[in-house]
Amino acid sequence: MDSAGADLAPKALAFRLRQQAILSDFGVEALRATELLPLLQRATELCAEGMEAQFCKALEYKPHQDCLLVCAGIGWAADAVGTTIIGADLASPAGYALKTGRPVISNHLENETRFRTPKLMADHGIRRAINVLIANRDGNYGVLEVDDTREGQFEEADIAFMQGFANLVGGAIERQRAEARLKAALERQELLSREMSHRVKNSLAVVAGFLGLQARGSDNADVKNALADARTRVEAVAQVHDQLWRQPSLEAIDVAGFLEALCAKLQESAPRHRLVCRAARINIPADLAIPLGLFVNELVTNAIKYAYPDGEGEIRVEARPDAAGTLILAVEDDGAGLPEGFDPAAARSASLGMRIINSLARQLGGTLAVAPDVQGAHFSLRMAPLA
């Protein structure tokens, strides 16, 4: 090798190593990118830098018009990007790369017989160009092209560098489109879930209305009371669904907002009582919301009915986590209290209300307890640790 060749070898090696470093850095950006056009613009800037070229552009294929739109670029006139259309037929270098999937190198556009020179390139005095396909599993997105007005040679080794950029862009486009589809599907699923919960609430309200009509039409006091209790429980389920579809997220429910809204509704039906709700801001899985709401509703309703013979008094609802992450749910009053020897675990053989309360406690994975030697009735439920 002569001395000139020996001088060129280290320069060529340094040039290729620098290209690999630029490509590696862009790979990180492509993985992090959330928007397409800024990523394409960055690709054209770095690709031009790595090729030591004056111009670079990303072309998006528009199948309905069978053309290529310059959607990002560097070196071009300010009004070229976003507006310039280039033919996608086999007679243009970019169109040939798009339609055949093969890279195109043209180092002498002025003498080129295979292709015509697009007007944009002619207006900028482009003398040589290299094109590679941007593609992924969704299909062909478009073309990445580097151009220059100066004499020189684009080489086969440059194709590998540019194709690396094009592949990273194609992968990022595929990922962003998949994420967009997934987001749309999740939003639709959440919308359908909210709509379903809303409709369930409305349907239950209709059932509650029918129970009320039937109760008013009966002359039997026991039947009236049973139907009234049934209506109250159906309305409670409807109220829980009403709160569910209003929540910001259906995956997890904020206990504080959920119980505060539920207690406010219960307060409307018992204006002579004072219903106090103290709940911590803690999220629980949505599938626990219905049994939790019904549990609170049943105990508060019992307190409204039986705690204060004179019809006035305070009822407290509290929800708080302990140090182990366990949710403690309590419903308390200062009224007449529970019968002597009352055992909540044995109460399932007694009233329907207590059987329901015990059943809901089991659904919540908790242990129901009653505080001894206190004024009134103090129920508490220690739920299983929240994941």
Side-chain angles (χ1 to χ4, degrees), residues 286-363:
D287 58 354
L288 294 181
I290 290 179
L292 184 142
L294 294 177
F295 179 85
V296 170
N297 179 84
E298 199 70 32
L299 285 173
V300 170
T301 301
N302 282 351
I304 291 171
K305 285 183 178 180
Y306 307 118
Y308 300 101
D310 61 359
E312 293 185 16
E314 183 176 272
I315 303 167
R316 297 177 295 280
V317 175
E318 183 179 4
R320 57 180 174 80
D322 65 6
T326 300
L327 181 64
I328 309 298
L329 186 62
V331 179
E332 305 172 349
D333 65 71
D334 302 318
L338 298 167
E340 187 175 350
F342 178 84
D343 180 3
R348 54 180 174 267
S349 60
S351 69
L352 174 62
M354 284 309 304
R355 292 202 299 273
I356 291 174
I357 289 167
N358 275 282
S359 175
L360 292 168
R362 289 193 296 272
Q363 290 183 48

Side-chain angles (χ1 to χ4, degrees), residues 115-182:
F115 313 111
R116 68 176 182 275
T117 301
K119 184 176 185 302
L120 173 68
M121 298 164 70
D123 290 345
H124 286 78
I126 301 299
R127 301 180 69 179
R128 55 193 175 104
I130 180 170
N131 295 263
V132 295
L133 179 67
I134 301 173
N136 53 43
R137 286 180 294 184
D138 293 335
N140 294 344
Y141 173 81
V143 174
L144 182 65
E145 179 177 318
V146 166
D147 307 288
D148 210 299
T149 63
R150 300 167 296 188
E151 293 262 351
Q153 294 285 318
F154 289 131
E155 302 174 2
E156 293 292 327
D158 293 321
I159 292 174
F161 171 68
M162 287 188 60
Q163 194 63 63
F165 265 89
N167 291 345
L168 288 170
V169 170
I173 292 169
E174 182 179 329
R175 174 180 57 80
Q176 289 178 18
R177 287 176 175 174
E179 289 174 353
R181 289 193 295 267
L182 178 60

Side-chain angles (χ1 to χ4, degrees), residues 252-309:
I253 302 299
D254 173 35
V255 170
F258 181 70
L259 288 182
E260 286 167 3
L262 183 60
C263 288
K265 194 69 177 178
L266 289 167
Q267 179 72 80
E268 293 175 8
S269 63
R272 296 179 62 193
H273 293 81
R274 181 169 178 262
L275 191 52
V276 179
C277 180
R278 300 187 185 96
R281 295 285 174 185
I282 183 170
N283 290 333
I284 62 170
D287 58 354
L288 294 181
I290 290 179
L292 184 142
L294 294 177
F295 179 85
V296 170
N297 179 84
E298 199 70 32
L299 285 173
V300 170
T301 301
N302 282 351
I304 291 171
K305 285 183 178 180
Y306 307 118
Y308 300 101

